[in-house]
mmCIF file with all atom_site columns, all heavy atoms in Angstrom:
data_model
loop_
_atom_site.group_PDB
_atom_site.id
_atom_site.type_symbol
_atom_site.label_atom_id
_atom_site.label_alt_id
_atom_site.label_comp_id
_atom_site.label_asym_id
_atom_site.label_entity_id
_atom_site.label_seq_id
_atom_site.pdbx_PDB_ins_code
_atom_site.Cartn_x
_atom_site.Cartn_y
_atom_site.Cartn_z
_atom_site.occupancy
_atom_site.B_iso_or_equiv
_atom_site.pdbx_formal_charge
_atom_site.auth_seq_id
_atom_site.auth_comp_id
_atom_site.auth_asym_id
_atom_site.auth_atom_id
_atom_site.pdbx_PDB_model_num
ATOM 1   N N   . SER G 1 2  ? 43.913 -15.001 59.751 1.00 0.00 ? 19 SER G N   1
ATOM 2   C CA  . SER G 1 2  ? 43.907 -13.583 60.072 1.00 0.00 ? 19 SER G CA  1
ATOM 3   C C   . SER G 1 2  ? 42.665 -12.938 59.467 1.00 0.00 ? 19 SER G C   1
ATOM 4   O O   . SER G 1 2  ? 42.170 -13.352 58.425 1.00 0.00 ? 19 SER G O   1
ATOM 5   C CB  . SER G 1 2  ? 45.168 -12.901 59.552 1.00 0.00 ? 19 SER G CB  1
ATOM 6   O OG  . SER G 1 2  ? 45.186 -12.961 58.154 1.00 0.00 ? 19 SER G OG  1
ATOM 7   N N   . THR G 1 3  ? 42.194 -11.919 60.150 1.00 0.00 ? 20 THR G N   1
ATOM 8   C CA  . THR G 1 3  ? 41.015 -11.217 59.661 1.00 0.00 ? 20 THR G CA  1
ATOM 9   C C   . THR G 1 3  ? 41.434 -10.270 58.550 1.00 0.00 ? 20 THR G C   1
ATOM 10  O O   . THR G 1 3  ? 42.552 -9.733  58.567 1.00 0.00 ? 20 THR G O   1
ATOM 11  C CB  . THR G 1 3  ? 40.343 -10.435 60.797 1.00 0.00 ? 20 THR G CB  1
ATOM 12  O OG1 . THR G 1 3  ? 41.295 -9.537  61.350 1.00 0.00 ? 20 THR G OG1 1
ATOM 13  C CG2 . THR G 1 3  ? 39.833 -11.372 61.882 1.00 0.00 ? 20 THR G CG2 1
ATOM 14  N N   . PRO G 1 4  ? 40.568 -10.034 57.598 1.00 0.00 ? 21 PRO G N   1
ATOM 15  C CA  . PRO G 1 4  ? 40.911 -9.087  56.533 1.00 0.00 ? 21 PRO G CA  1
ATOM 16  C C   . PRO G 1 4  ? 41.053 -7.670  57.092 1.00 0.00 ? 21 PRO G C   1
ATOM 17  O O   . PRO G 1 4  ? 40.459 -7.328  58.118 1.00 0.00 ? 21 PRO G O   1
ATOM 18  C CB  . PRO G 1 4  ? 39.746 -9.192  55.554 1.00 0.00 ? 21 PRO G CB  1
ATOM 19  C CG  . PRO G 1 4  ? 38.636 -9.786  56.331 1.00 0.00 ? 21 PRO G CG  1
ATOM 20  C CD  . PRO G 1 4  ? 39.249 -10.614 57.419 1.00 0.00 ? 21 PRO G CD  1
ATOM 21  N N   . ARG G 1 5  ? 41.839 -6.878  56.414 1.00 0.00 ? 22 ARG G N   1
ATOM 22  C CA  . ARG G 1 5  ? 42.093 -5.506  56.861 1.00 0.00 ? 22 ARG G CA  1
ATOM 23  C C   . ARG G 1 5  ? 40.798 -4.692  56.853 1.00 0.00 ? 22 ARG G C   1
ATOM 24  O O   . ARG G 1 5  ? 40.005 -4.776  55.912 1.00 0.00 ? 22 ARG G O   1
ATOM 25  C CB  . ARG G 1 5  ? 43.108 -4.859  55.931 1.00 0.00 ? 22 ARG G CB  1
ATOM 26  C CG  . ARG G 1 5  ? 43.538 -3.495  56.402 1.00 0.00 ? 22 ARG G CG  1
ATOM 27  C CD  . ARG G 1 5  ? 45.032 -3.460  56.530 1.00 0.00 ? 22 ARG G CD  1
ATOM 28  N NE  . ARG G 1 5  ? 45.447 -2.143  56.956 1.00 0.00 ? 22 ARG G NE  1
ATOM 29  C CZ  . ARG G 1 5  ? 45.786 -1.864  58.201 1.00 0.00 ? 22 ARG G CZ  1
ATOM 30  N NH1 . ARG G 1 5  ? 45.784 -2.809  59.097 1.00 0.00 ? 22 ARG G NH1 1
ATOM 31  N NH2 . ARG G 1 5  ? 46.161 -0.662  58.551 1.00 0.00 ? 22 ARG G NH2 1
ATOM 32  N N   . LEU G 1 6  ? 40.608 -3.942  57.884 1.00 0.00 ? 23 LEU G N   1
ATOM 33  C CA  . LEU G 1 6  ? 39.428 -3.104  58.033 1.00 0.00 ? 23 LEU G CA  1
ATOM 34  C C   . LEU G 1 6  ? 39.510 -1.922  57.068 1.00 0.00 ? 23 LEU G C   1
ATOM 35  O O   . LEU G 1 6  ? 40.567 -1.322  56.888 1.00 0.00 ? 23 LEU G O   1
ATOM 36  C CB  . LEU G 1 6  ? 39.364 -2.586  59.471 1.00 0.00 ? 23 LEU G CB  1
ATOM 37  C CG  . LEU G 1 6  ? 38.116 -1.881  59.936 1.00 0.00 ? 23 LEU G CG  1
ATOM 38  C CD1 . LEU G 1 6  ? 36.938 -2.854  59.919 1.00 0.00 ? 23 LEU G CD1 1
ATOM 39  C CD2 . LEU G 1 6  ? 38.309 -1.350  61.336 1.00 0.00 ? 23 LEU G CD2 1
ATOM 40  N N   . THR G 1 7  ? 38.402 -1.595  56.408 1.00 0.00 ? 24 THR G N   1
ATOM 41  C CA  . THR G 1 7  ? 38.356 -0.447  55.520 1.00 0.00 ? 24 THR G CA  1
ATOM 42  C C   . THR G 1 7  ? 37.407 0.591   56.099 1.00 0.00 ? 24 THR G C   1
ATOM 43  O O   . THR G 1 7  ? 36.664 0.307   57.034 1.00 0.00 ? 24 THR G O   1
ATOM 44  C CB  . THR G 1 7  ? 37.868 -0.845  54.108 1.00 0.00 ? 24 THR G CB  1
ATOM 45  O OG1 . THR G 1 7  ? 36.542 -1.348  54.215 1.00 0.00 ? 24 THR G OG1 1
ATOM 46  C CG2 . THR G 1 7  ? 38.774 -1.895  53.490 1.00 0.00 ? 24 THR G CG2 1
ATOM 47  N N   . GLN G 1 8  ? 37.409 1.776   55.529 1.00 0.00 ? 25 GLN G N   1
ATOM 48  C CA  . GLN G 1 8  ? 36.531 2.830   56.015 1.00 0.00 ? 25 GLN G CA  1
ATOM 49  C C   . GLN G 1 8  ? 35.066 2.467   55.822 1.00 0.00 ? 25 GLN G C   1
ATOM 50  O O   . GLN G 1 8  ? 34.221 2.847   56.618 1.00 0.00 ? 25 GLN G O   1
ATOM 51  C CB  . GLN G 1 8  ? 36.846 4.156   55.319 1.00 0.00 ? 25 GLN G CB  1
ATOM 52  C CG  . GLN G 1 8  ? 38.115 4.809   55.855 1.00 0.00 ? 25 GLN G CG  1
ATOM 53  C CD  . GLN G 1 8  ? 38.347 6.171   55.255 1.00 0.00 ? 25 GLN G CD  1
ATOM 54  O OE1 . GLN G 1 8  ? 39.076 6.303   54.295 1.00 0.00 ? 25 GLN G OE1 1
ATOM 55  N NE2 . GLN G 1 8  ? 37.708 7.171   55.809 1.00 0.00 ? 25 GLN G NE2 1
ATOM 56  N N   . LYS G 1 9  ? 34.758 1.700   54.799 1.00 0.00 ? 26 LYS G N   1
ATOM 57  C CA  . LYS G 1 9  ? 33.383 1.275   54.553 1.00 0.00 ? 26 LYS G CA  1
ATOM 58  C C   . LYS G 1 9  ? 32.899 0.342   55.664 1.00 0.00 ? 26 LYS G C   1
ATOM 59  O O   . LYS G 1 9  ? 31.700 0.318   55.978 1.00 0.00 ? 26 LYS G O   1
ATOM 60  C CB  . LYS G 1 9  ? 33.248 0.563   53.209 1.00 0.00 ? 26 LYS G CB  1
ATOM 61  C CG  . LYS G 1 9  ? 33.440 1.465   52.033 1.00 0.00 ? 26 LYS G CG  1
ATOM 62  C CD  . LYS G 1 9  ? 33.311 0.688   50.736 1.00 0.00 ? 26 LYS G CD  1
ATOM 63  C CE  . LYS G 1 9  ? 33.559 1.572   49.543 1.00 0.00 ? 26 LYS G CE  1
ATOM 64  N NZ  . LYS G 1 9  ? 33.483 0.815   48.271 1.00 0.00 ? 26 LYS G NZ  1
ATOM 65  N N   . ASP G 1 10 ? 33.816 -0.413  56.263 1.00 0.00 ? 27 ASP G N   1
ATOM 66  C CA  . ASP G 1 10 ? 33.464 -1.362  57.311 1.00 0.00 ? 27 ASP G CA  1
ATOM 67  C C   . ASP G 1 10 ? 33.315 -0.699  58.685 1.00 0.00 ? 27 ASP G C   1
ATOM 68  O O   . ASP G 1 10 ? 32.793 -1.314  59.603 1.00 0.00 ? 27 ASP G O   1
ATOM 69  C CB  . ASP G 1 10 ? 34.524 -2.458  57.422 1.00 0.00 ? 27 ASP G CB  1
ATOM 70  C CG  . ASP G 1 10 ? 34.666 -3.256  56.145 1.00 0.00 ? 27 ASP G CG  1
ATOM 71  O OD1 . ASP G 1 10 ? 33.673 -3.350  55.399 1.00 0.00 ? 27 ASP G OD1 1
ATOM 72  O OD2 . ASP G 1 10 ? 35.772 -3.760  55.880 1.00 0.00 ? 27 ASP G OD2 1
ATOM 73  N N   . MET G 1 11 ? 33.775 0.528   58.810 1.00 0.00 ? 28 MET G N   1
ATOM 74  C CA  . MET G 1 11 ? 33.729 1.230   60.084 1.00 0.00 ? 28 MET G CA  1
ATOM 75  C C   . MET G 1 11 ? 32.321 1.737   60.365 1.00 0.00 ? 28 MET G C   1
ATOM 76  O O   . MET G 1 11 ? 31.544 1.998   59.450 1.00 0.00 ? 28 MET G O   1
ATOM 77  C CB  . MET G 1 11 ? 34.663 2.445   60.076 1.00 0.00 ? 28 MET G CB  1
ATOM 78  C CG  . MET G 1 11 ? 36.113 2.120   60.019 1.00 0.00 ? 28 MET G CG  1
ATOM 79  S SD  . MET G 1 11 ? 37.045 3.654   60.080 1.00 0.00 ? 28 MET G SD  1
ATOM 80  C CE  . MET G 1 11 ? 38.611 3.102   59.508 1.00 0.00 ? 28 MET G CE  1
ATOM 81  N N   . ASN G 1 40 ? 47.690 8.598   54.886 1.00 0.00 ? 57 ASN G N   1
ATOM 82  C CA  . ASN G 1 40 ? 47.648 7.130   54.953 1.00 0.00 ? 57 ASN G CA  1
ATOM 83  C C   . ASN G 1 40 ? 48.250 6.611   56.253 1.00 0.00 ? 57 ASN G C   1
ATOM 84  O O   . ASN G 1 40 ? 47.785 5.614   56.792 1.00 0.00 ? 57 ASN G O   1
ATOM 85  C CB  . ASN G 1 40 ? 48.350 6.518   53.751 1.00 0.00 ? 57 ASN G CB  1
ATOM 86  C CG  . ASN G 1 40 ? 47.592 6.739   52.464 1.00 0.00 ? 57 ASN G CG  1
ATOM 87  O OD1 . ASN G 1 40 ? 46.382 6.988   52.475 1.00 0.00 ? 57 ASN G OD1 1
ATOM 88  N ND2 . ASN G 1 40 ? 48.296 6.670   51.345 1.00 0.00 ? 57 ASN G ND2 1
ATOM 89  N N   . GLN G 1 41 ? 49.269 7.288   56.744 1.00 0.00 ? 58 GLN G N   1
ATOM 90  C CA  . GLN G 1 41 ? 49.894 6.868   57.993 1.00 0.00 ? 58 GLN G CA  1
ATOM 91  C C   . GLN G 1 41 ? 48.914 7.025   59.163 1.00 0.00 ? 58 GLN G C   1
ATOM 92  O O   . GLN G 1 41 ? 48.786 6.118   59.992 1.00 0.00 ? 58 GLN G O   1
ATOM 93  C CB  . GLN G 1 41 ? 51.160 7.671   58.259 1.00 0.00 ? 58 GLN G CB  1
ATOM 94  C CG  . GLN G 1 41 ? 51.874 7.253   59.527 1.00 0.00 ? 58 GLN G CG  1
ATOM 95  C CD  . GLN G 1 41 ? 53.125 8.075   59.786 1.00 0.00 ? 58 GLN G CD  1
ATOM 96  O OE1 . GLN G 1 41 ? 53.388 9.038   59.096 1.00 0.00 ? 58 GLN G OE1 1
ATOM 97  N NE2 . GLN G 1 41 ? 53.879 7.688   60.798 1.00 0.00 ? 58 GLN G NE2 1
ATOM 98  N N   . VAL G 1 42 ? 48.212 8.149   59.215 1.00 0.00 ? 59 VAL G N   1
ATOM 99  C CA  . VAL G 1 42 ? 47.226 8.378   60.275 1.00 0.00 ? 59 VAL G CA  1
ATOM 100 C C   . VAL G 1 42 ? 46.113 7.331   60.183 1.00 0.00 ? 59 VAL G C   1
ATOM 101 O O   . VAL G 1 42 ? 45.698 6.747   61.186 1.00 0.00 ? 59 VAL G O   1
ATOM 102 C CB  . VAL G 1 42 ? 46.645 9.816   60.195 1.00 0.00 ? 59 VAL G CB  1
ATOM 103 C CG1 . VAL G 1 42 ? 45.480 9.996   61.146 1.00 0.00 ? 59 VAL G CG1 1
ATOM 104 C CG2 . VAL G 1 42 ? 47.733 10.842  60.469 1.00 0.00 ? 59 VAL G CG2 1
ATOM 105 N N   . LYS G 1 43 ? 45.628 7.088   58.959 1.00 0.00 ? 60 LYS G N   1
ATOM 106 C CA  . LYS G 1 43 ? 44.575 6.092   58.766 1.00 0.00 ? 60 LYS G CA  1
ATOM 107 C C   . LYS G 1 43 ? 45.046 4.694   59.192 1.00 0.00 ? 60 LYS G C   1
ATOM 108 O O   . LYS G 1 43 ? 44.318 3.967   59.859 1.00 0.00 ? 60 LYS G O   1
ATOM 109 C CB  . LYS G 1 43 ? 44.143 6.041   57.294 1.00 0.00 ? 60 LYS G CB  1
ATOM 110 C CG  . LYS G 1 43 ? 43.309 7.220   56.850 1.00 0.00 ? 60 LYS G CG  1
ATOM 111 C CD  . LYS G 1 43 ? 42.911 7.041   55.394 1.00 0.00 ? 60 LYS G CD  1
ATOM 112 C CE  . LYS G 1 43 ? 42.145 8.236   54.885 1.00 0.00 ? 60 LYS G CE  1
ATOM 113 N NZ  . LYS G 1 43 ? 41.783 8.070   53.464 1.00 0.00 ? 60 LYS G NZ  1
ATOM 114 N N   . LYS G 1 44 ? 46.265 4.341   58.801 1.00 0.00 ? 61 LYS G N   1
ATOM 115 C CA  . LYS G 1 44 ? 46.784 3.010   59.110 1.00 0.00 ? 61 LYS G CA  1
ATOM 116 C C   . LYS G 1 44 ? 46.907 2.809   60.621 1.00 0.00 ? 61 LYS G C   1
ATOM 117 O O   . LYS G 1 44 ? 46.519 1.752   61.159 1.00 0.00 ? 61 LYS G O   1
ATOM 118 C CB  . LYS G 1 44 ? 48.158 2.804   58.455 1.00 0.00 ? 61 LYS G CB  1
ATOM 119 C CG  . LYS G 1 44 ? 48.732 1.417   58.654 1.00 0.00 ? 61 LYS G CG  1
ATOM 120 C CD  . LYS G 1 44 ? 50.092 1.310   57.953 1.00 0.00 ? 61 LYS G CD  1
ATOM 121 C CE  . LYS G 1 44 ? 50.676 -0.058  58.083 1.00 0.00 ? 61 LYS G CE  1
ATOM 122 N NZ  . LYS G 1 44 ? 50.919 -0.516  59.438 1.00 0.00 ? 61 LYS G NZ  1
ATOM 123 N N   . GLU G 1 45 ? 47.400 3.807   61.328 1.00 0.00 ? 62 GLU G N   1
ATOM 124 C CA  . GLU G 1 45 ? 47.540 3.707   62.783 1.00 0.00 ? 62 GLU G CA  1
ATOM 125 C C   . GLU G 1 45 ? 46.173 3.540   63.441 1.00 0.00 ? 62 GLU G C   1
ATOM 126 O O   . GLU G 1 45 ? 45.999 2.721   64.348 1.00 0.00 ? 62 GLU G O   1
ATOM 127 C CB  . GLU G 1 45 ? 48.255 4.936   63.342 1.00 0.00 ? 62 GLU G CB  1
ATOM 128 C CG  . GLU G 1 45 ? 49.725 4.998   62.981 1.00 0.00 ? 62 GLU G CG  1
ATOM 129 C CD  . GLU G 1 45 ? 50.377 6.315   63.387 1.00 0.00 ? 62 GLU G CD  1
ATOM 130 O OE1 . GLU G 1 45 ? 49.671 7.205   63.912 1.00 0.00 ? 62 GLU G OE1 1
ATOM 131 O OE2 . GLU G 1 45 ? 51.588 6.446   63.167 1.00 0.00 ? 62 GLU G OE2 1
ATOM 132 N N   . TYR G 1 46 ? 45.194 4.310   62.980 1.00 0.00 ? 63 TYR G N   1
ATOM 133 C CA  . TYR G 1 46 ? 43.860 4.246   63.568 1.00 0.00 ? 63 TYR G CA  1
ATOM 134 C C   . TYR G 1 46 ? 43.203 2.882   63.274 1.00 0.00 ? 63 TYR G C   1
ATOM 135 O O   . TYR G 1 46 ? 42.594 2.273   64.144 1.00 0.00 ? 63 TYR G O   1
ATOM 136 C CB  . TYR G 1 46 ? 42.987 5.391   63.045 1.00 0.00 ? 63 TYR G CB  1
ATOM 137 C CG  . TYR G 1 46 ? 41.600 5.404   63.649 1.00 0.00 ? 63 TYR G CG  1
ATOM 138 C CD1 . TYR G 1 46 ? 41.404 5.674   64.988 1.00 0.00 ? 63 TYR G CD1 1
ATOM 139 C CD2 . TYR G 1 46 ? 40.486 5.138   62.867 1.00 0.00 ? 63 TYR G CD2 1
ATOM 140 C CE1 . TYR G 1 46 ? 40.145 5.683   65.551 1.00 0.00 ? 63 TYR G CE1 1
ATOM 141 C CE2 . TYR G 1 46 ? 39.213 5.150   63.416 1.00 0.00 ? 63 TYR G CE2 1
ATOM 142 C CZ  . TYR G 1 46 ? 39.057 5.424   64.748 1.00 0.00 ? 63 TYR G CZ  1
ATOM 143 O OH  . TYR G 1 46 ? 37.798 5.418   65.306 1.00 0.00 ? 63 TYR G OH  1
ATOM 144 N N   . ILE G 1 47 ? 43.347 2.408   62.050 1.00 0.00 ? 64 ILE G N   1
ATOM 145 C CA  . ILE G 1 47 ? 42.759 1.121   61.675 1.00 0.00 ? 64 ILE G CA  1
ATOM 146 C C   . ILE G 1 47 ? 43.416 -0.022  62.451 1.00 0.00 ? 64 ILE G C   1
ATOM 147 O O   . ILE G 1 47 ? 42.733 -0.941  62.906 1.00 0.00 ? 64 ILE G O   1
ATOM 148 C CB  . ILE G 1 47 ? 42.845 0.899   60.143 1.00 0.00 ? 64 ILE G CB  1
ATOM 149 C CG1 . ILE G 1 47 ? 41.850 1.834   59.447 1.00 0.00 ? 64 ILE G CG1 1
ATOM 150 C CG2 . ILE G 1 47 ? 42.583 -0.536  59.776 1.00 0.00 ? 64 ILE G CG2 1
ATOM 151 C CD1 . ILE G 1 47 ? 41.948 1.843   57.932 1.00 0.00 ? 64 ILE G CD1 1
ATOM 152 N N   . ASP G 1 48 ? 44.730 0.043   62.654 1.00 0.00 ? 65 ASP G N   1
ATOM 153 C CA  . ASP G 1 48 ? 45.424 -0.959  63.452 1.00 0.00 ? 65 ASP G CA  1
ATOM 154 C C   . ASP G 1 48 ? 44.879 -0.977  64.886 1.00 0.00 ? 65 ASP G C   1
ATOM 155 O O   . ASP G 1 48 ? 44.659 -2.048  65.455 1.00 0.00 ? 65 ASP G O   1
ATOM 156 C CB  . ASP G 1 48 ? 46.938 -0.707  63.475 1.00 0.00 ? 65 ASP G CB  1
ATOM 157 C CG  . ASP G 1 48 ? 47.592 -1.019  62.128 1.00 0.00 ? 65 ASP G CG  1
ATOM 158 O OD1 . ASP G 1 48 ? 46.980 -1.707  61.296 1.00 0.00 ? 65 ASP G OD1 1
ATOM 159 O OD2 . ASP G 1 48 ? 48.733 -0.537  61.922 1.00 0.00 ? 65 ASP G OD2 1
ATOM 160 N N   . LYS G 1 49 ? 44.653 0.210   65.433 1.00 0.00 ? 66 LYS G N   1
ATOM 161 C CA  . LYS G 1 49 ? 44.112 0.304   66.792 1.00 0.00 ? 66 LYS G CA  1
ATOM 162 C C   . LYS G 1 49 ? 42.705 -0.292  66.846 1.00 0.00 ? 66 LYS G C   1
ATOM 163 O O   . LYS G 1 49 ? 42.380 -1.060  67.761 1.00 0.00 ? 66 LYS G O   1
ATOM 164 C CB  . LYS G 1 49 ? 44.086 1.772   67.240 1.00 0.00 ? 66 LYS G CB  1
ATOM 165 C CG  . LYS G 1 49 ? 43.648 1.962   68.682 1.00 0.00 ? 66 LYS G CG  1
ATOM 166 C CD  . LYS G 1 49 ? 43.579 3.427   69.033 1.00 0.00 ? 66 LYS G CD  1
ATOM 167 C CE  . LYS G 1 49 ? 42.109 3.770   69.115 1.00 0.00 ? 66 LYS G CE  1
ATOM 168 N NZ  . LYS G 1 49 ? 41.758 5.113   69.331 1.00 0.00 ? 66 LYS G NZ  1
ATOM 169 N N   . LEU G 1 50 ? 41.874 0.032   65.865 1.00 0.00 ? 67 LEU G N   1
ATOM 170 C CA  . LEU G 1 50 ? 40.513 -0.490  65.829 1.00 0.00 ? 67 LEU G CA  1
ATOM 171 C C   . LEU G 1 50 ? 40.499 -2.020  65.698 1.00 0.00 ? 67 LEU G C   1
ATOM 172 O O   . LEU G 1 50 ? 39.713 -2.697  66.371 1.00 0.00 ? 67 LEU G O   1
ATOM 173 C CB  . LEU G 1 50 ? 39.737 0.092   64.637 1.00 0.00 ? 67 LEU G CB  1
ATOM 174 C CG  . LEU G 1 50 ? 39.043 1.416   64.844 1.00 0.00 ? 67 LEU G CG  1
ATOM 175 C CD1 . LEU G 1 50 ? 38.337 1.818   63.548 1.00 0.00 ? 67 LEU G CD1 1
ATOM 176 C CD2 . LEU G 1 50 ? 38.051 1.361   65.962 1.00 0.00 ? 67 LEU G CD2 1
ATOM 177 N N   . MET G 1 51 ? 41.346 -2.536  64.825 1.00 0.00 ? 68 MET G N   1
ATOM 178 C CA  . MET G 1 51 ? 41.387 -3.985  64.619 1.00 0.00 ? 68 MET G CA  1
ATOM 179 C C   . MET G 1 51 ? 41.830 -4.704  65.899 1.00 0.00 ? 68 MET G C   1
ATOM 180 O O   . MET G 1 51 ? 41.297 -5.764  66.236 1.00 0.00 ? 68 MET G O   1
ATOM 181 C CB  . MET G 1 51 ? 42.309 -4.336  63.451 1.00 0.00 ? 68 MET G CB  1
ATOM 182 C CG  . MET G 1 51 ? 41.733 -3.963  62.099 1.00 0.00 ? 68 MET G CG  1
ATOM 183 S SD  . MET G 1 51 ? 42.807 -4.307  60.718 1.00 0.00 ? 68 MET G SD  1
ATOM 184 C CE  . MET G 1 51 ? 42.893 -6.083  60.777 1.00 0.00 ? 68 MET G CE  1
ATOM 185 N N   . ALA G 1 52 ? 42.780 -4.112  66.621 1.00 0.00 ? 69 ALA G N   1
ATOM 186 C CA  . ALA G 1 52 ? 43.230 -4.718  67.879 1.00 0.00 ? 69 ALA G CA  1
ATOM 187 C C   . ALA G 1 52 ? 42.096 -4.721  68.904 1.00 0.00 ? 69 ALA G C   1
ATOM 188 O O   . ALA G 1 52 ? 41.882 -5.718  69.610 1.00 0.00 ? 69 ALA G O   1
ATOM 189 C CB  . ALA G 1 52 ? 44.442 -3.953  68.414 1.00 0.00 ? 69 ALA G CB  1
ATOM 190 N N   . ARG G 1 54 ? 38.856 -4.695  68.275 1.00 0.00 ? 71 ARG G N   1
ATOM 191 C CA  . ARG G 1 54 ? 37.836 -5.654  67.847 1.00 0.00 ? 71 ARG G CA  1
ATOM 192 C C   . ARG G 1 54 ? 38.280 -7.087  68.104 1.00 0.00 ? 71 ARG G C   1
ATOM 193 O O   . ARG G 1 54 ? 37.462 -7.941  68.441 1.00 0.00 ? 71 ARG G O   1
ATOM 194 C CB  . ARG G 1 54 ? 37.510 -5.466  66.358 1.00 0.00 ? 71 ARG G CB  1
ATOM 195 C CG  . ARG G 1 54 ? 36.710 -4.200  66.127 1.00 0.00 ? 71 ARG G CG  1
ATOM 196 C CD  . ARG G 1 54 ? 36.252 -4.099  64.696 1.00 0.00 ? 71 ARG G CD  1
ATOM 197 N NE  . ARG G 1 54 ? 35.509 -2.861  64.471 1.00 0.00 ? 71 ARG G NE  1
ATOM 198 C CZ  . ARG G 1 54 ? 34.899 -2.563  63.342 1.00 0.00 ? 71 ARG G CZ  1
ATOM 199 N NH1 . ARG G 1 54 ? 34.955 -3.382  62.324 1.00 0.00 ? 71 ARG G NH1 1
ATOM 200 N NH2 . ARG G 1 54 ? 34.232 -1.427  63.226 1.00 0.00 ? 71 ARG G NH2 1
#
Side-chain angles (χ1 to χ4, degrees):
S19 65
T20 57
R22 186 124 178 102
L23 190 65
T24 62
Q25 284 185 264
K26 291 180 183 178
D27 299 332
M28 292 182 197
N57 291 338
Q58 182 181 7
V59 171
K60 286 181 184 179
K61 184 180 182 300
E62 289 172 358
Y63 182 67
I64 288 173
D65 288 344
K66 185 183 107 184
L67 273 180
M68 288 178 65
R71 287 187 181 186

